[in-house]
Amino acid sequence: MAASLIRTCTTFSLLRLPLSKVVRSNSVRKCVLHSLPLACTQCQRYHTTPQYFKSNRSKARPFTLIKPKKNLPVVGIWSGITVSELAESAGRSIDDVMSAIQLTDLSQRRYRKETPLEDSNVLYNVVRKLGAKIKLISRPDGKEEKSTKDCNAVKRPPPDESVLIKRRPVVTIMGHVDHGKTTLLDTLRNTSVVKTEFGGITQHIGAFNVTLKTGETVTFLDTPGHAAFNIMRMRGAQVTDIVVLVVAADDGVMEQTVESIKMAKAANVPIIVAVNKIDKPEADITRTEKMLAQQGIQVEAMGGDIQSVNVSALHGTNLDTLTEAIALQAELVGLRGDPTGLVEAVVIECSTDRQRGKLATVLIQRGTLRKGAFLVSGLAWAKVRAMFDHSGNPVVEAKLSDAVQIIGWRDLPTAGDEILEVENEKKLRMVMRYREAVKATQLAQEHKIAADKKHEEYLKEYKEHRAKRRALGRYRKLSAPVKNDKPDDGIPKLNVIIKSDVAGSVEAILDVLNTYGSDDKCQLSIVHYGVGPVVETDLQMADAFDAIIYSFNVGVMKGLQQEVSKKKISIRPYNVIYKLIDDVKTEINKRLPPVEAEEVIGEANVLQEFQITDKKKKVKVAGCRCVKGNLKKDAMFHLMREQEILFTGKLVSMKHLKNEVDTIKVDVECGLRFEDPTLSFKNGDVLICYNTYQKSQETDWDPGF
């Protein structure tokens, strides 16, 4: 390259200037380089004869020289450089760097001193605006960005007593289905959530901030009482301070009531009993209290220390007494919390909204949450864009024990997971890299175990194949090749896709489907599940796997109806969980092969055994009397002795007196000869006459409701 720079343009050889210093004037439009294979960058075409320039040399004007470029200062940058570090490296003030960023980055993103400049284009243009050049270097202090090790977000140590303040109680309403939990909560906050629940049963876990008539503010969690929502109730019991156990006075203690009591005791939280529906004629409060005592709940009326209030949620009877009991219990517990520092919370429920995107209902357990905070939960993270209360009203900040909906999630978190706030986006990305690395390691271990197991199967199959070849001889081929893939076992299959409005409902449906255990008769496979409406990806998976889509409280995205009809995809919308499960059971029953069933058409008692001679052979005949129905000659017979079947088969002969007949009616005696000539009979044996037919099977799966 150095040699080419000192070569001169042949046309202007008298000037003896390097090619890089020659600039074309207005009067000379063409030139040629005889010493170089290509024309110079100022040329438009090639000339091969120098005579062209001799005739035009007189017209040439003097040439100007390109001024040498200024030596720009060099700014060293490195991966993850922050605004303050760039200002220090460039020797400029932070205000200058911020001004250059505002002129360069049009995304209106907020930058601070500690914000890392991760976009290479933005970083390059900022340095250019500062009048410098970029040079990649290692971090000058020798401290490279921390590896993913020890970069996980964890809960802070217990707070100091001096920062603790009084906080509102979190109260969970629990009990059996249809005992009036949601109606009680509706009356307390003057709303009607129960009317919005399909089938009149709660199928979501709800979080509500309620101001009582006494002025006390309480956060209520409404849990489902249906048997299918066991995980939701357990989650509600784990995050609460007080459990209000609702028991209907007419029904008493039921299955989910007992389950709720066990959950509350396992979570070690105090219980307040609300005996509901006392206005019903069949209400029996004393019987209900005795049933509670059998489960270890000794109420004050029975000499115990557990508060019990007799209420009517429908008519609002004694609700003031119940709220006073809640306030008293909260005062006794002495609830306090730390409102300072990074937020710690728990996911109550999550869903997808068409207008607002991914939503997560969270309960604040520590700190104060504000807009713009960075949150991590499992492998999901969010930058809080906005917060809303249970009514959809915007919230500026969420304090201790507040239940709020948060938007800004990149992926939906898992209901029940903890939420932790991190200092900035840099820390957020480090935490996510750490957690993703841990997850990848776990998956790699699982895949290795599966691969090793598969390898063992293939190795076993290979050894069996080799042993067969050795047994048959060296050059002899096996009659049938050994297949690596397993043949179809002939077991029918049902593939399903589950889509729901909230993650808790998906979780409940999957828990119920996981109780299915008859895979040897019909395999039930969950191809995919998720939160939100049915989208094009779901249709593609349903078409590929021949699956049924069950949509729970969600619809189908607009514009996909034509594709659904074209591909003949079955979408089953439901809004009550037990109806969805019933449909799954019906589909399983359709796929089960029919079985043989017996229809009894007659019954006879053996009176005596006879021996006759047929073609010089002694054969035994049963002398019988028909006692039920009819006996058919062409039907099947069971010979039973002391409730045990000794023989099953057909007749050779059926005679009444000496005549061969086809049917014997009730109270008619006959002689029956069977296919087995060695069969012997005793007085008191029973002959069952029956026909067989094909009967459709029904699964023995019991989901528990």
Side-chain angles (χ1 to χ4, degrees):
M1 184 179 291
S4 64
L5 291 177
I6 62 173
R7 293 179 182 174
T8 58
C9 180
T10 309
T11 309
F12 312 112
S13 58
L14 296 176
L15 297 176
R16 296 296 180 187
L17 295 174
L19 178 62
S20 60
K21 303 297 183 181
V22 177
V23 177
R24 179 183 55 175
S25 68
N26 294 333
S27 60
V28 179
R29 299 179 180 177
K30 310 294 177 187
C31 68
V32 65
L33 300 178
H34 294 289
S35 59
L36 294 175
L38 296 174
C40 70
T41 57
Q42 304 294 334
C43 293
Q44 301 295 326
R45 64 188 228 198
Y46 293 103
H47 300 279
T48 55
T49 58
Q51 285 78 12
Y52 172 82
F53 298 99
K54 290 180 181 179
S55 61
N56 292 280
R57 188 174 295 172
S58 60
K59 300 179 182 180
R61 293 183 181 180
F63 294 92
T64 58
L65 298 179
I66 294 178
K67 294 181 180 180
K69 293 183 179 179
K70 294 181 180 179
N71 292 325
L72 299 177
V74 178
V75 175
I77 64 169
W78 53 88
S79 176
I81 188 171
T82 62
V83 173
S84 59
E85 290 172 342
L86 178 59
E88 184 180 353
S89 178
R92 306 290 291 270
S93 66
I94 293 180
D95 293 338
D96 291 345
V97 176
M98 287 292 190
S99 300
I101 291 174
Q102 291 176 359
L103 294 173
T104 303
D105 191 357
L106 303 179
S107 64
Q108 298 182 350
R109 176 186 172 191
R110 288 187 177 183
Y111 284 87
R112 299 171 182 162
K113 291 181 181 181
E114 65 276 5
T115 304
L117 298 169
E118 297 180 344
D119 192 331
S120 58
N121 291 329
V122 172
L123 181 59
Y124 173 78
N125 291 327
V126 167
V127 175
R128 289 292 301 271
K129 292 288 184 185
L130 295 175
K133 295 189 297 184
I134 281 179
K135 181 180 180 181
L136 292 174
I137 62 172
S138 60
R139 190 180 290 271
D141 55 5
K143 296 179 182 179
E144 294 294 331
E145 185 175 339
K146 291 182 180 180
S147 63
T148 57
K149 189 175 181 180
D150 300 329
C151 290
N152 194 15
V154 295
K155 285 187 175 182
R156 292 180 287 153
D160 187 75
E161 290 288 333
S162 60
V163 300
L164 297 180
I165 62 171
K166 183 180 178 180
R167 65 173 178 86
R168 71 175 69 166
V170 178
V171 180
T172 299
I173 311 293
M174 302 183 71
H176 192 74
V177 63
D178 199 30
H179 276 200
K181 298 182 299 300
T182 306
T183 305
L184 174 63
L185 186 55
D186 286 343
T187 308
L188 288 172
R189 62 194 191 98
N190 298 319
T191 57
S192 184
V193 172
V194 70
K195 293 180 180 178
T196 66
E197 294 288 358
F198 296 102
I201 62 172
T202 301
Q203 301 180 110
H204 305 83
I205 185 169
F208 311 96
N209 304 320
V210 180
T211 302
L212 304 176
K213 292 180 180 179
T214 59
E216 296 279 344
T217 304
V218 179
T219 299
F220 281 103
L221 300 181
D222 183 20
T223 60
H226 197 276
F229 298 94
N230 177 44
I231 300 298
M232 283 192 190
R233 288 192 298 278
M234 189 178 297
R235 192 158 57 243
Q238 292 296 327
V239 299
T240 192
D241 300 314
I242 302 170
V243 168
V244 174
L245 183 66
V246 180
V247 187
D250 55 342
D251 287 341
V253 175
M254 303 292 285
E255 182 180 353
Q256 269 70 57
T257 311
V258 176
E259 189 180 75
S260 299
I261 292 172
K262 292 179 179 178
M263 290 179 182
K265 288 183 177 180
N268 196 25
V269 293
I271 298 174
I272 298 175
V273 177
V275 180
N276 194 20
K277 301 184 181 182
I278 60 173
D279 54 316
K280 282 196 168 186
E282 57 270 25
D284 190 342
I285 298 174
T286 305
R287 180 179 68 94
T288 303
E289 291 174 345
K290 289 181 179 179
M291 294 176 71
L292 287 169
Q294 293 175 358
Q295 301 299 327
I297 303 297
Q298 292 284 347
V299 299
E300 292 176 341
M302 301 289 292
D305 57 353
I306 295 177
Q307 297 184 80
S308 177
V309 183
N310 303 326
V311 301
S312 172
L314 192 62
H315 298 95
T317 307
N318 293 337
L319 290 192
D320 292 340
T321 307
L322 178 62
T323 56
E324 291 173 2
I326 293 173
L328 175 61
Q329 187 67 58
E331 193 69 30
L332 293 174
V333 175
L335 301 174
R336 296 197 299 168
D338 177 14
T340 63
L342 299 176
V343 169
E344 296 175 7
V346 63
V347 182
I348 299 298
E349 190 59 277
C350 48
S351 60
T352 301
D353 188 89
R354 291 189 178 182
Q355 284 75 33
R356 296 185 290 178
K358 297 179 175 64
L359 287 170
T361 302
V362 306
L363 180 68
I364 308 300
Q365 297 177 318
R366 190 175 182 182
T368 303
L369 183 62
R370 297 178 178 86
K371 183 179 176 182
F374 294 97
L375 305 177
V376 293
S377 176
L379 293 178
W381 65 274
K383 181 181 180 182
V384 180
R385 294 209 320 259
M387 294 179 289
F388 306 91
D389 62 11
H390 62 271
S391 300
N393 302 317
V395 176
V396 177
E397 62 180 17
K399 300 179 181 179
L400 288 173
S401 300
D402 276 351
V404 292
Q405 290 182 330
I406 296 174
I407 62 174
W409 295 93
R410 298 304 185 270
D411 294 302
L412 277 178
T414 302
D417 280 2
E418 69 176 12
I419 296 177
L420 299 175
E421 182 185 2
V422 294
E423 297 85 349
N424 49 49
E425 188 174 357
K426 178 181 178 182
K427 176 67 174 179
L428 170 71
R429 298 191 183 281
M430 292 171 65
V431 171
M432 295 309 297
R433 282 198 295 269
Y434 172 84
R435 295 188 175 187
E436 288 168 358
V438 172
K439 183 67 174 178
T441 304
Q442 293 176 351
L443 288 176
Q445 292 176 350
E446 293 174 2
H447 292 167
K448 184 179 183 303
I449 293 172
D452 291 344
K453 184 178 180 181
K454 199 73 175 176
H455 177 70
E456 290 178 3
E457 293 177 359
Y458 285 148
L459 188 62
K460 181 180 179 181
E461 192 173 349
Y462 164 73
K463 289 180 178 179
E464 292 176 355
H465 177 70
R466 184 180 62 184
K468 290 180 181 179
R469 290 186 63 88
R470 288 178 176 175
L472 294 172
R474 182 175 181 182
Y475 299 107
R476 187 172 177 180
K477 294 182 179 180
L478 292 174
S479 58
V482 177
K483 295 183 179 180
N484 288 330
D485 54 339
K486 294 183 179 180
D488 187 9
D489 50 15
I491 299 176
K493 298 178 179 62
L494 172 61
N495 297 328
V496 298
I497 295 174
I498 306 296
K499 295 302 291 288
S500 179
D501 54 343
V502 297
S505 296
V506 174
E507 184 182 42
I509 294 170
L510 295 181
D511 285 340
V512 176
L513 295 181
N514 285 336
T515 62
Y516 179 76
S518 302
D519 285 333
D520 54 336
K521 296 180 180 179
C522 179
Q523 295 179 359
L524 176 61
S525 300
I526 303 168
V527 176
H528 174 66
Y529 60 88
V531 178
V534 178
V535 296
E536 187 175 1
T537 307
D538 301 322
L539 300 183
Q540 293 172 354
M541 296 187 72
D543 184 46
F545 290 94
D546 190 23
I548 298 175
I549 300 177
Y550 287 98
S551 59
F552 191 74
N553 290 334
V554 293
V556 182
M557 290 290 286
K558 292 182 179 179
L560 296 180
Q561 293 294 343
Q562 186 176 358
E563 185 177 352
V564 172
S565 302
K566 181 181 177 181
K567 295 183 178 180
K568 297 181 179 179
I569 297 172
S570 178
I571 299 179
R572 312 280 177 87
Y574 285 97
N575 46 35
V576 179
I577 187 170
Y578 57 78
K579 292 184 179 179
L580 185 151
I581 300 301
D582 286 344
D583 189 276
V584 175
K585 291 176 67 175
T586 302
E587 288 298 324
I588 292 174
N589 292 337
K590 289 180 181 178
R591 286 162 171 75
L592 294 176
V595 294
E596 269 195 356
E598 298 179 358
E599 180 188 12
V600 177
I601 58 177
E603 184 177 326
N605 291 335
V606 176
L607 303 178
Q608 189 177 353
E609 179 184 274
F610 298 95
Q611 282 193 356
I612 63 172
T613 303
D614 182 26
K615 297 180 180 179
K616 298 182 181 181
K617 289 184 179 180
K618 297 284 186 179
V619 293
K620 296 177 181 179
V621 176
C624 309
R625 177 185 288 116
C626 181
V627 294
K628 288 183 183 178
N630 298 320
L631 305 182
K632 301 285 186 181
K633 182 179 179 180
D634 56 352
M636 296 289 293
F637 283 82
H638 286 312
L639 173 61
M640 300 186 66
R641 183 177 299 162
E642 296 178 355
Q643 304 300 321
E644 182 182 354
I645 298 176
L646 300 180
F647 171 78
T648 298
K650 288 190 173 184
L651 296 177
V652 174
S653 173
M654 174 185 283
K655 288 186 177 183
H656 175 57
L657 301 177
K658 293 185 178 181
N659 301 321
E660 190 75 24
V661 295
D662 295 327
T663 305
I664 297 295
K665 296 182 179 180
V666 178
D667 294 333
V668 176
E669 294 184 355
C670 62
L672 303 180
R673 177 184 167 191
F674 289 87
E675 294 174 327
D676 187 357
T678 62
L679 193 61
S680 60
F681 308 95
K682 288 184 179 181
N683 185 14
D685 289 350
V686 178
L687 292 170
I688 305 295
C689 179
Y690 67 94
N691 283 327
T692 59
Y693 65 96
Q694 295 291 319
K695 177 186 176 182
S696 58
Q697 285 194 73
E698 290 189 2
T699 178
D700 56 356
W701 175 33
D702 181 14
F705 53 85

